[in-house]
Structure formats: structure tokens, C-alpha cells
Amino acid sequence: QVQLVDSGGGLVQAGGSLRLSCAASGRTFSRYGMGWFRQAPGKEREFVAAINWSGGSTAYAASVKGRFTISRDNAKDTVYLQMNSLKPEDTAAYYCAAHTSNFMRPDYWGRGTQVTVSS
């Protein structure tokens, strides 16, 4: 089992920045690839970004590429999502996730942190 606690959400104006964090506990963090997903009201959960176990490979949704950066610190068992140039359409609950093989099919989820971007 892996427990994930995501944090760092809040209210920010359009054009602003936020950094989300996800602290992991339980099994060895470095065994897992990590990712972020988001879900806006009335919409399905969607992929945002993913990073492999070493941090050497990343993937992003087209809608956030160039604005968001995913990173991880295996010494701290933490993954981050730096979000810049935020837009109102980025408003959603953001969820941290851990996967063993397919970043689109996580094995574990955080509880989510709310990001609201005002125009």
C-alpha cells in the first residue's frame, strides 16, 4: 500500500502560479511512477502530467505543456507540480497518483487538492 497526501491548492488569479505537493508513505516511493490528474465540476477526471521512477522521463497533457512542470524528490518521497500561467480553465480538483506500469492507470490516489483560478 502507498498513502498519498496532496496539498498546495488554493485560489489564484489568472496568470499566477501554484505549486502542488504530494507526500507518499508506505512502500518504497522510488518504485513508483507518479502523476497528476484533475477533475473539474461536471467533467471526467483527466490526465495532467506524469514522471517515471527516476525523474528522467516526463509526460504532459497538451493543455498544460509549457506551463506546468512535474518533478520528484525521492529522498523526500514527494512529487511536485509547478503550475505557471494559470488559466480559469485550470480550475479543478487535482489528484496525485502512483502507478507501477501504466501512468494512465494509477494504482493509488491521493484525496485531492482544490485549485481555483479567477479571471
Side-chain angles (χ1 to χ4, degrees):
Q1 284 280 3
V2 174
Q3 292 77 43
L4 304 173
V5 178
D6 25 36
S7 62
L11 173 64
V12 63
Q13 289 188 333
S17 299
L18 280 175
R19 188 176 81 155
L20 306 183
S21 299
C22 175
S25 61
R27 292 190 174 181
T28 306
F29 177 69
S30 60
R31 293 179 56 186
Y32 295 89
M34 300 297 296
W36 289 94
F37 290 72
R38 67 186 182 186
Q39 187 168 19
K43 295 187 177 181
E44 293 187 353
R45 190 171 297 189
E46 64 176 3
F47 167 75
V48 175
I51 189 166
N52 75 333
W53 68 274
S54 68
S57 179
T58 58
Y60 296 93
S63 59
V64 306
K65 199 167 186 178
R67 299 188 297 123
F68 291 10
T69 302
I70 189 171
S71 61
R72 67 188 294 161
D73 185 341
N74 286 346
K76 296 182 178 180
D77 292 351
T78 302
V79 63
Y80 305 97
L81 185 68
Q82 178 67 43
M83 306 185 294
N84 298 330
S85 302
L86 282 161
K87 305 175 181 180
E89 51 264 44
D90 293 318
T91 295
Y94 283 70
Y95 298 88
C96 173
H99 63 270
T100 53
S101 58
N102 185 340
F103 66 82
M104 292 299 289
R105 295 185 178 181
D107 301 284
Y108 303 99
W109 292 92
R111 291 192 172 185
T113 184
Q114 179 67 35
V115 172
T116 303
V117 184
S118 63
S119 57

